[in-house]
Amino acid sequence: MSSSFKGLDLFGSGPHRFHMAKQGLYIVALRAFADPSIPGSAAFGDVELEVIVRGRLIAATESALWTLRDAITAQATFSPIAGTLIDAHGRTWNDMTLWCYEEEDRTDRGREISIAYEARFRRFVGS
């Protein structure tokens, strides 16, 4: 099985790993938005589910690498359409949105051309 987002193999060109971001309750110090003299904090619901994919895009040519990069960034545009995110082990997250894609500071060139990246997917409240 291969990893995918909305049925697209965005990560399969190189090694990649999935991990979950912080989970639990969204906590805010009461003094942060009310009276500074009020001690304590309050829970305001669950933290939105976030899955982070870190990996390396690998291609034989510079143009092929740009094709891989463009395929990912095309999914991280405004008015995104949520989809299903699947890792290589078959774990599925429904209603996920690619909200952030960031590359490392350099492209590595050798027998193959590659770049490291991080892609962040979130299940927005109301999705």
Side-chain angles (χ1 to χ4, degrees):
M1 171 167 264
S2 62
S3 303
S4 66
F5 177 58
K6 295 195 281 188
L8 303 170
D9 179 10
L10 300 176
F11 320 112
S13 70
H16 58 280
R17 62 190 178 282
F18 285 62
H19 74 274
M20 306 284 285
K22 177 175 69 172
Q23 298 178 70
L25 296 174
Y26 181 70
I27 304 293
V28 175
L30 292 173
R31 67 180 166 274
F33 70 94
D35 183 343
S37 66
I38 298 174
S41 55
F44 285 90
D46 296 327
V47 171
E48 292 174 322
L49 174 66
E50 185 168 78
V51 178
I52 302 165
V53 181
R54 288 189 179 119
R56 181 165 287 281
L57 298 176
I58 300 173
T61 66
E62 191 76 37
S63 65
L65 183 62
W66 275 107
T67 298
L68 295 172
R69 297 161 98 173
D70 292 343
I72 295 176
T73 58
Q75 298 302 314
T77 58
F78 189 65
S79 295
I81 298 171
T84 301
L85 178 64
I86 303 172
D87 73 9
H89 305 288
R91 173 70 166 106
T92 300
W93 296 272
N94 295 315
D95 302 316
M96 301 301 287
T97 299
L98 175 57
W99 71 273
C100 181
Y101 171 74
E102 187 173 356
E103 297 177 343
E104 289 295 320
D105 63 341
R106 70 184 178 281
T107 301
D108 295 318
R109 291 170 177 85
R111 287 187 198 118
E112 296 177 301
I113 301 168
S114 68
I115 193 161
Y117 67 89
E118 177 179 277
R120 291 180 171 261
F121 296 84
R122 184 171 287 184
R123 181 180 298 145
F124 291 107
V125 172
S127 294

